[in-house]
Amino acid sequence: MCGIVGYAGPVDGVDALGVVMEGLRRMEYRGYDSAGIVVQAQGALAARKKAGKLANLEELLSLDPLPLAVTAVGHTRWATHGGPTDENAHPHHSADGRLALVHNGIIENYAALRAQLVDEGASFTSETDTEIAAHLVARAYDEVGDLTEAMRLVANQLQGAFTLLALHADVPGTVVGARRNSPLVVGRGKGANFLGSDVAAFIEHTREAIELGQDQVVTITCDSIEVIDFAGAPATTRAYHVDWDARAAEKGGYPNFMAKEIDEQPRAVADTLLGRMDQRGHLALDELRIDASALRSIDKIVVIGCGTASYAGQVAKYAIEHWCRVPTEVELGSEFRYRDPVVTAKTLVVAISQSGETMDTLMAVRHAREQGAKVLAICNTHGSTIPREADAVLYTHAGPEVAVAATKSFLAQVAACYLLGLYLAQLRGNKFEDEVRAILAQLARVPDQIQQVLNSMEPVRALARQMADARVVLFLGRHVGFPVAMEGALKLKELAYIHAEGFAGGELKHGPIALIEPGLPVFVVVPSPRGRDSLHGKVISNIQEIRARGARTIVIAEEGDDAVRPYADTLIQVPRTPTLLAPLVTTVPLQVFAVELAMAKGHDVDQPRNLAKSVTVE
Ligand code: F6R
């Protein structure tokens, strides 16, 4: 939520404006309510900002250019305090205009601080919480004469979540940042240094990054990076190399990032599965700070996530309980700590997050750790907060996900959940090594099966175009097909702004069947006929019940399942997979359907209205 870019280059270097605008283009997925930039040139600051997408700022800059500069800070906003107007766009300035500041997060004690500043004679031009920070840092600078120290003093006064970056007219060539509960990474360049909400902000210039810890202040110039903690002591940081390059964050000929990311799913799953065996042939996690005996003694697993990540967690529940026989609950990050959950030292909390920065999930992680639970993160973003605070990490290798709606990260999360389930089953002795290997071999075939699904999506696209006027679409599933149904509904809601709901097939007769009326489109995710008990037959009964009431059925079933044919107005076939692994293939047609329908309606599928990627406020 909100994208931030900072740059300090050499005096004879390139124009900072271009570097920061390019960074903002890559950060725009984090928020697109407004954008702004400030440069420092000839002992003064100059800024431009505009409500709406980055294109509006670009237009403004072409009409009213900024002076050449080697230091700049930019911001792309997802509005919290104050509407998406020009006035509320960042950067915000101090009263004398000599300091400019951008912010991601929410300053929770801003009302008290603002009232105090007003009492002292300050006036404000925006409704944001950010503007008070600009006033406070400028005042502190006037008192102590050092921008880093001023930032540190103010950071200690603020409560809530914030990443702040500031430029001061009197401190040329320097950008100062601070972070608490909100992301900020440093890019170490040659003769230039960078700051960004994530590495995509500077990936074109350097792949050498430094992870900042919680409560740290960073000061960059073209040839130095200094980090201290909020107490003023030198801080320890961790340098790392980014294993993808700028091309991975480009559209590469696709009409939008989402279409590209859907096509990248075979790779995302294959890379997530890659290299997981240690020398003894055992499954291994990336970073494990929990000893094996603690993992053997866990008596409950709670999987935490938000939105799509929580649906990956629902799939995990079926797999982990089946393979490991450990009771597993799935909980929304935003609900977890508020219901006083029973969590003990024998509970393993699994936090799933693409960004690793989702505040609801992060707060749940902290609560779980305070209760003594061990936390294992499944995350796609190296250096982000959730894996840093967790006791163990399993990284998904989906590569950068730029489209706001999650696609490849979901499949990679599901694949990682299977790995975790198998890892625990192996460790706790629920499965023999050869059984684990047999399932891994089946998993290894899935990327090709996803590719087969992708190769056969033209009829699904045609169907989506035909259905562009649909007002309501329902999704039904059972067992692991239930979270798939909810994910299909979520994609359609967020991309096409269509009312969509995912139901468990068995629940239909307990209420939702009242929604069925002639012509209503209903997607049904059918389990394999080779699966357990009579689930397949029960889903066929569900289809009959809705068809009897006039629903138009769009059925996703595995190849060779001829029993469903008579009940499907449209049949979408996917390759045969073991029952538990089916979400990796059955989700794909639902993603393709949602994107195509949204495009047919003329929506911006990468940046759906009201949303932002990486939700760093609670
Ligand atoms: C939906 C979507 C969101 C995210 C959710 C969690 O398409 O993208 O529901 O899944 O905001 O985000 P992460 O995984 O970054 O914690």
Side-chain angles (χ1 to χ4, degrees):
M1 240 159 214
C2 298
I4 282 183
V5 187
Y7 173 72
V11 237
D12 53 354
V14 293
D15 187 14
L17 179 77
V19 176
V20 170
M21 286 303 286
E22 182 54 40
L24 287 183
R25 269 188 279 281
R26 295 188 195 283
M27 290 294 94
E28 202 182 9
Y29 73 94
R30 301 180 69 93
Y32 28 87
D33 286 330
S34 65
I37 184 162
V38 54
V39 300
Q40 188 190 54
Q42 296 130 30
L45 301 182
R48 302 285 181 271
K49 55 187 191 173
K50 196 74 195 151
K53 296 202 173 185
L54 191 60
N56 296 358
L57 175 65
E58 287 170 334
E59 195 186 328
L60 176 67
L61 285 166
S62 67
L63 298 172
D64 188 9
L66 284 170
L68 280 178
V70 292
T71 315
V73 161
H75 185 267
T76 156
R77 178 169 188 247
W78 187 84
T80 53
H81 284 92
T85 61
D86 289 353
E87 294 72 31
N88 290 333
H90 299 211
H92 291 283
H93 287 80
S94 56
D96 61 6
R98 302 207 45 86
L99 177 129
L101 180 141
V102 299
H103 167 219
N104 169 24
I106 290 183
I107 299 170
E108 285 171 0
N109 56 339
Y110 103 103
L113 292 168
R114 186 175 168 125
Q116 195 181 327
L117 286 165
V118 169
D119 280 352
E120 290 163 17
S123 61
F124 295 94
T125 57
S126 77
E127 303 154 282
T128 64
D129 49 348
T130 307
E131 199 177 356
I132 59 125
H135 282 244
L136 290 172
V137 179
R139 283 183 179 206
Y141 176 78
D142 290 343
E143 277 163 30
V144 298
D146 181 281
L147 191 55
T148 305
E149 181 60 4
M151 180 65 93
R152 186 187 76 78
L153 291 170
V154 173
N156 277 295
Q157 281 178 267
L158 305 180
Q159 290 162 11
F162 51 86
T163 297
L164 302 169
L165 291 193
L167 287 185
H168 199 293
D170 299 348
V171 193
T174 305
V175 184
V176 177
R179 76 165 288 253
R180 166 178 286 166
N181 292 336
S182 200
L184 182 63
V185 283
V186 185
R188 184 192 289 281
K190 290 202 172 75
N193 289 310
F194 307 80
L195 293 166
S197 297
D198 65 51
V199 293
F202 47 74
I203 192 70
E204 218 181 339
H205 304 281
T206 178
R207 290 164 72 181
E208 303 312 316
I210 299 173
E211 203 178 288
L212 288 182
Q214 181 71 321
D215 288 1
Q216 293 187 343
V217 177
V218 57
T219 306
I220 63 163
T221 65
C222 66
D223 54 11
S224 69
I225 300 166
E226 276 165 27
V227 185
I228 57 170
D229 62 23
F230 280 7
T236 41
T237 53
R238 192 179 74 89
Y240 63 104
H241 179 76
V242 183
D243 59 6
W244 48 272
D245 62 18
R247 271 170 312 164
E250 303 285 353
K251 281 189 205 155
Y254 284 85
N256 46 59
F257 279 106
M258 188 143 179
K260 175 179 175 242
E261 288 162 7
I262 287 174
D263 264 14
E264 285 171 346
Q265 294 187 112
R267 190 69 210 249
V269 172
D271 286 355
T272 298
L273 298 175
L274 203 70
R276 294 294 178 182
M277 291 288 191
D278 67 13
Q279 283 155 346
R280 291 173 304 147
H282 289 170
L283 261 176
L285 301 185
D286 294 300
E287 288 172 29
L288 188 58
R289 299 178 282 269
I290 313 175
D291 61 70
S293 64
L295 283 176
R296 277 192 201 99
S297 68
I298 53 169
D299 59 10
K300 180 165 92 168
I301 295 176
V302 184
V303 188
I304 291 171
C306 299
T308 292
S310 79
Y311 300 145
Q314 302 265 11
V315 177
K317 176 181 163 73
Y318 289 90
I320 294 175
E321 287 195 333
H322 183 70
W323 289 331
C324 311
R325 313 306 301 149
V326 185
T328 304
E329 297 167 11
V330 186
E331 186 79 47
L332 291 173
S334 52
E335 288 296 316
F336 179 70
R337 68 183 171 133
Y338 298 103
R339 68 167 180 88
D340 199 11
V342 180
V343 173
T344 69
K346 288 192 165 185
T347 309
L348 176 69
V349 168
V350 178
I352 306 181
S353 175
Q354 187 286 128
S355 61
E357 300 292 350
T358 298
M359 188 56 80
D360 291 319
T361 308
L362 175 61
M363 288 304 168
V365 164
R366 288 191 182 153
H367 182 77
R369 295 198 79 219
E370 278 160 23
Q371 310 299 305
K374 298 284 181 224
V375 175
L376 186 147
I378 291 180
C379 185
N380 198 42
T381 313
H382 279 257
S384 57
T385 309
I386 291 171
R388 245 198 354 256
E389 296 198 8
D391 301 288
V393 187
L394 209 170
Y395 281 109
T396 50
H397 294 289
E401 190 174 66
V402 177
V404 165
T407 52
K408 61 177 178 171
S409 65
F410 175 67
L411 291 204
Q413 284 163 355
V414 170
C417 288
Y418 295 142
L419 290 175
L420 172 64
L422 293 172
Y423 175 81
L424 292 174
Q426 165 192 282
L427 188 83
R428 296 163 62 91
N430 303 93
K431 289 234 171 282
F432 295 116
E433 258 176 62
D434 57 343
E435 291 175 299
V436 171
R437 268 177 224 264
I439 302 173
L440 282 174
Q442 287 164 333
L443 259 176
R445 286 196 283 277
V446 172
D448 284 344
Q449 296 177 315
I450 300 172
Q451 190 58 56
Q452 277 177 47
V453 179
L454 289 168
N455 295 346
S456 64
M457 283 296 94
E458 209 32 64
V460 173
R461 290 197 185 93
L463 177 73
R465 291 191 291 269
Q466 269 168 32
M467 285 175 58
D469 294 330
R471 295 166 60 88
V472 178
V473 181
L474 301 184
F475 294 76
L476 288 188
R478 288 184 88 135
H479 192 258
V480 286
F482 173 36
V484 171
M486 291 193 286
E487 172 61 2
L490 179 61
K491 291 290 94 100
L492 204 57
K493 277 180 223 179
E494 62 183 334
L495 298 172
Y497 319 147
I498 287 179
H499 189 109
E501 290 302 330
F503 298 108
E507 274 293 291
L508 204 59
K509 54 194 173 299
H510 299 290
I513 200 161
L515 292 170
I516 306 292
E517 54 188 26
L520 186 90
V522 184
F523 278 84
V524 187
V525 184
V526 178
S528 166
R530 296 163 299 119
R532 153 182 298 210
D533 303 332
S534 51
L535 201 54
H536 179 263
K538 296 255 164 57
V539 174
I540 292 197
S541 303
N542 292 151
I543 304 178
Q544 282 171 315
E545 286 154 16
I546 56 172
R547 270 171 71 93
R549 288 157 180 87
R552 170 181 179 186
T553 55
I554 304 149
V555 172
I556 301 179
E558 75 173 28
E559 285 162 355
D561 180 358
D562 292 325
V564 293
R565 251 176 221 286
Y567 309 108
D569 292 312
T570 305
L571 180 62
I572 302 168
Q573 291 186 312
V574 293
R576 282 180 170 205
T577 54
T579 301
L580 278 169
L581 309 189
L584 292 174
V585 292
T586 51
T587 308
V588 178
L590 302 181
Q591 298 168 332
V592 171
F593 177 79
V595 172
E596 191 68 23
L597 197 148
M599 290 199 308
K601 291 180 88 171
H603 294 176
D604 181 340
V605 295
D606 285 340
Q607 297 179 344
R609 71 182 180 200
N610 304 338
L611 292 173
K613 205 161 183 75
S614 189
V615 185
T616 52
V617 294
E618 257 190 294

mmCIF file of all heavy atoms in Angstrom, residues 306-309 352-358 361 404-406 413 487 490-491 494 613-615, ligand 1:
data_model
loop_
_atom_site.group_PDB
_atom_site.id
_atom_site.type_symbol
_atom_site.label_atom_id
_atom_site.label_comp_id
_atom_site.label_asym_id
_atom_site.label_seq_id
_atom_site.Cartn_x
_atom_site.Cartn_y
_atom_site.Cartn_z
ATOM 1 N N CYS A 306 -4.716 -13.726 4.369
ATOM 2 C CA CYS A 306 -5.826 -12.849 3.996
ATOM 3 C C CYS A 306 -6.158 -13.088 2.529
ATOM 4 O O CYS A 306 -5.256 -13.361 1.730
ATOM 5 C CB CYS A 306 -5.430 -11.387 4.163
ATOM 6 S SG CYS A 306 -5.007 -10.986 5.841
ATOM 7 N N GLY A 307 -7.421 -12.933 2.190
ATOM 8 C CA GLY A 307 -7.849 -13.020 0.790
ATOM 9 C C GLY A 307 -7.388 -14.323 0.156
ATOM 10 O O GLY A 307 -7.573 -15.416 0.707
ATOM 11 N N THR A 308 -6.764 -14.183 -1.003
ATOM 12 C CA THR A 308 -6.322 -15.355 -1.749
ATOM 13 C C THR A 308 -5.397 -16.240 -0.919
ATOM 14 O O THR A 308 -5.473 -17.470 -0.973
ATOM 15 C CB THR A 308 -5.613 -14.873 -3.030
ATOM 16 O OG1 THR A 308 -6.613 -14.279 -3.863
ATOM 17 C CG2 THR A 308 -4.950 -15.992 -3.780
ATOM 18 N N ALA A 309 -4.515 -15.619 -0.131
ATOM 19 C CA ALA A 309 -3.588 -16.417 0.686
ATOM 20 C C ALA A 309 -4.359 -17.280 1.680
ATOM 21 O O ALA A 309 -3.944 -18.397 2.007
ATOM 22 C CB ALA A 309 -2.614 -15.485 1.414
ATOM 23 N N ILE A 352 0.741 -17.290 5.632
ATOM 24 C CA ILE A 352 0.935 -17.284 4.170
ATOM 25 C C ILE A 352 0.762 -15.865 3.662
ATOM 26 O O ILE A 352 -0.254 -15.216 3.933
ATOM 27 C CB ILE A 352 -0.099 -18.204 3.477
ATOM 28 C CG1 ILE A 352 -0.047 -19.613 4.094
ATOM 29 C CG2 ILE A 352 0.157 -18.257 1.981
ATOM 30 C CD1 ILE A 352 -1.019 -20.595 3.455
ATOM 31 N N SER A 353 1.761 -15.373 2.946
ATOM 32 C CA SER A 353 1.660 -14.011 2.409
ATOM 33 C C SER A 353 2.579 -13.845 1.204
ATOM 34 O O SER A 353 3.776 -14.121 1.295
ATOM 35 C CB SER A 353 2.052 -12.995 3.491
ATOM 36 O OG SER A 353 2.076 -11.703 2.954
ATOM 37 N N GLN A 354 2.035 -13.418 0.095
ATOM 38 C CA GLN A 354 2.857 -13.134 -1.084
ATOM 39 C C GLN A 354 3.843 -12.038 -0.770
ATOM 40 O O GLN A 354 5.045 -12.166 -0.974
ATOM 41 C CB GLN A 354 1.943 -12.734 -2.245
ATOM 42 C CG GLN A 354 2.588 -12.558 -3.613
ATOM 43 C CD GLN A 354 3.411 -11.302 -3.775
ATOM 44 O OE1 GLN A 354 4.575 -11.368 -4.194
ATOM 45 N NE2 GLN A 354 2.885 -10.158 -3.443
ATOM 46 N N SER A 355 3.315 -10.927 -0.255
ATOM 47 C CA SER A 355 4.144 -9.732 -0.062
ATOM 48 C C SER A 355 5.025 -9.827 1.176
ATOM 49 O O SER A 355 6.079 -9.211 1.232
ATOM 50 C CB SER A 355 3.237 -8.514 0.103
ATOM 51 O OG SER A 355 2.404 -8.686 1.241
ATOM 52 N N GLY A 356 4.563 -10.577 2.167
ATOM 53 C CA GLY A 356 5.289 -10.622 3.437
ATOM 54 C C GLY A 356 5.104 -9.350 4.249
ATOM 55 O O GLY A 356 5.764 -9.161 5.271
ATOM 56 N N GLU A 357 4.191 -8.485 3.829
ATOM 57 C CA GLU A 357 4.005 -7.197 4.509
ATOM 58 C C GLU A 357 2.569 -6.973 4.940
ATOM 59 O O GLU A 357 2.279 -5.926 5.517
ATOM 60 C CB GLU A 357 4.421 -6.034 3.588
ATOM 61 C CG GLU A 357 5.871 -6.059 3.127
ATOM 62 C CD GLU A 357 6.866 -5.804 4.250
ATOM 63 O OE1 GLU A 357 6.453 -5.417 5.356
ATOM 64 O OE2 GLU A 357 8.066 -6.035 4.017
ATOM 65 N N THR A 358 1.651 -7.883 4.623
ATOM 66 C CA THR A 358 0.244 -7.660 4.940
ATOM 67 C C THR A 358 0.080 -7.455 6.452
ATOM 68 O O THR A 358 0.396 -8.347 7.242
ATOM 69 C CB THR A 358 -0.588 -8.856 4.444
ATOM 70 O OG1 THR A 358 -0.425 -8.916 3.033
ATOM 71 C CG2 THR A 358 -2.058 -8.711 4.788
ATOM 72 N N THR A 361 -1.881 -9.960 8.655
ATOM 73 C CA THR A 361 -1.164 -11.226 8.858
ATOM 74 C C THR A 361 0.020 -11.015 9.801
ATOM 75 O O THR A 361 0.279 -11.827 10.695
ATOM 76 C CB THR A 361 -0.693 -11.785 7.492
ATOM 77 O OG1 THR A 361 -1.815 -11.814 6.611
ATOM 78 C CG2 THR A 361 -0.114 -13.174 7.614
ATOM 79 N N VAL A 404 -2.359 -6.504 -9.309
ATOM 80 C CA VAL A 404 -2.864 -6.436 -7.939
ATOM 81 C C VAL A 404 -3.500 -7.768 -7.514
ATOM 82 O O VAL A 404 -3.301 -8.241 -6.402
ATOM 83 C CB VAL A 404 -3.839 -5.248 -7.796
ATOM 84 C CG1 VAL A 404 -4.656 -5.356 -6.540
ATOM 85 C CG2 VAL A 404 -3.039 -3.938 -7.794
ATOM 86 N N ALA A 405 -4.263 -8.376 -8.410
ATOM 87 C CA ALA A 405 -4.914 -9.647 -8.050
ATOM 88 C C ALA A 405 -3.889 -10.779 -8.098
ATOM 89 O O ALA A 405 -3.119 -10.901 -9.044
ATOM 90 C CB ALA A 405 -6.059 -9.927 -9.008
ATOM 91 N N ALA A 406 -3.912 -11.605 -7.068
ATOM 92 C CA ALA A 406 -2.954 -12.710 -6.968
ATOM 93 C C ALA A 406 -3.330 -13.835 -7.925
ATOM 94 O O ALA A 406 -4.498 -14.218 -8.009
ATOM 95 C CB ALA A 406 -2.954 -13.223 -5.537
ATOM 96 N N GLN A 413 1.790 -20.714 -3.554
ATOM 97 C CA GLN A 413 1.488 -20.905 -2.119
ATOM 98 C C GLN A 413 0.900 -22.298 -1.883
ATOM 99 O O GLN A 413 1.245 -22.981 -0.917
ATOM 100 C CB GLN A 413 0.479 -19.854 -1.640
ATOM 101 C CG GLN A 413 1.086 -18.477 -1.450
ATOM 102 C CD GLN A 413 0.045 -17.361 -1.385
ATOM 103 O OE1 GLN A 413 -1.145 -17.590 -1.580
ATOM 104 N NE2 GLN A 413 0.494 -16.158 -1.104
ATOM 105 N N GLU A 487 -11.926 -18.754 -4.476
ATOM 106 C CA GLU A 487 -10.900 -17.990 -5.186
ATOM 107 C C GLU A 487 -11.436 -17.523 -6.546
ATOM 108 O O GLU A 487 -11.214 -16.379 -6.956
ATOM 109 C CB GLU A 487 -9.634 -18.858 -5.346
ATOM 110 C CG GLU A 487 -8.534 -18.288 -6.212
ATOM 111 C CD GLU A 487 -7.947 -16.967 -5.716
ATOM 112 O OE1 GLU A 487 -8.349 -16.480 -4.658
ATOM 113 O OE2 GLU A 487 -7.105 -16.406 -6.436
ATOM 114 N N LEU A 490 -13.643 -14.602 -5.858
ATOM 115 C CA LEU A 490 -12.882 -13.401 -5.485
ATOM 116 C C LEU A 490 -12.268 -12.746 -6.728
ATOM 117 O O LEU A 490 -12.310 -11.517 -6.879
ATOM 118 C CB LEU A 490 -11.779 -13.768 -4.473
ATOM 119 C CG LEU A 490 -10.895 -12.611 -4.021
ATOM 120 C CD1 LEU A 490 -11.704 -11.521 -3.331
ATOM 121 C CD2 LEU A 490 -9.792 -13.096 -3.073
ATOM 122 N N LYS A 491 -11.725 -13.568 -7.636
ATOM 123 C CA LYS A 491 -11.119 -12.992 -8.843
ATOM 124 C C LYS A 491 -12.162 -12.216 -9.638
ATOM 125 O O LYS A 491 -11.890 -11.135 -10.151
ATOM 126 C CB LYS A 491 -10.506 -14.081 -9.744
ATOM 127 C CG LYS A 491 -9.285 -14.778 -9.226
ATOM 128 C CD LYS A 491 -8.032 -13.934 -9.185
ATOM 129 C CE LYS A 491 -7.838 -13.288 -7.855
ATOM 130 N NZ LYS A 491 -6.913 -13.864 -6.924
ATOM 131 N N GLU A 494 -13.119 -8.867 -7.814
ATOM 132 C CA GLU A 494 -12.138 -7.781 -7.793
ATOM 133 C C GLU A 494 -11.755 -7.284 -9.179
ATOM 134 O O GLU A 494 -11.381 -6.124 -9.327
ATOM 135 C CB GLU A 494 -10.902 -8.156 -6.969
ATOM 136 C CG GLU A 494 -10.121 -9.320 -7.487
ATOM 137 C CD GLU A 494 -8.945 -9.675 -6.583
ATOM 138 O OE1 GLU A 494 -8.440 -8.806 -5.864
ATOM 139 O OE2 GLU A 494 -8.522 -10.847 -6.615
ATOM 140 N N LYS A 613 -1.989 -3.579 -3.998
ATOM 141 C CA LYS A 613 -1.284 -4.800 -3.608
ATOM 142 C C LYS A 613 -0.546 -4.510 -2.311
ATOM 143 O O LYS A 613 -0.177 -3.370 -2.062
ATOM 144 C CB LYS A 613 -0.292 -5.173 -4.703
ATOM 145 C CG LYS A 613 0.013 -6.647 -4.710
ATOM 146 C CD LYS A 613 0.597 -7.074 -5.994
ATOM 147 C CE LYS A 613 0.836 -8.565 -6.027
ATOM 148 N NZ LYS A 613 -0.403 -9.335 -6.206
ATOM 149 N N SER A 614 -0.344 -5.514 -1.502
ATOM 150 C CA SER A 614 0.419 -5.350 -0.281
ATOM 151 C C SER A 614 -0.301 -4.380 0.667
ATOM 152 O O SER A 614 -0.074 -3.171 0.653
ATOM 153 C CB SER A 614 1.816 -4.810 -0.637
ATOM 154 O OG SER A 614 2.640 -4.833 0.476
ATOM 155 N N VAL A 615 -1.198 -4.935 1.462
ATOM 156 C CA VAL A 615 -2.085 -4.118 2.283
ATOM 157 C C VAL A 615 -1.423 -3.873 3.641
ATOM 158 O O VAL A 615 -1.548 -4.672 4.562
ATOM 159 C CB VAL A 615 -3.458 -4.812 2.431
ATOM 160 C CG1 VAL A 615 -4.433 -3.925 3.186
ATOM 161 C CG2 VAL A 615 -4.014 -5.128 1.053
HETATM 162 C C1 F6R B 1 -6.606 -11.169 -4.205
HETATM 163 C C2 F6R B 1 -5.441 -10.674 -3.523
HETATM 164 C C3 F6R B 1 -5.532 -10.437 -2.056
HETATM 165 C C4 F6R B 1 -4.245 -10.926 -1.357
HETATM 166 C C5 F6R B 1 -4.277 -10.543 0.125
HETATM 167 C C6 F6R B 1 -3.058 -11.057 0.868
HETATM 168 O O1 F6R B 1 -6.361 -11.351 -5.565
HETATM 169 O O2 F6R B 1 -4.429 -10.428 -4.116
HETATM 170 O O3 F6R B 1 -6.657 -11.040 -1.508
HETATM 171 O O4 F6R B 1 -4.150 -12.307 -1.523
HETATM 172 O O5 F6R B 1 -4.332 -9.140 0.238
HETATM 173 O O6 F6R B 1 -1.874 -10.540 0.348
HETATM 174 P P1 F6R B 1 -0.476 -11.169 0.720
HETATM 175 O O7 F6R B 1 -0.425 -12.543 0.130
HETATM 176 O O8 F6R B 1 0.554 -10.256 0.133
HETATM 177 O O9 F6R B 1 -0.407 -11.237 2.223
#
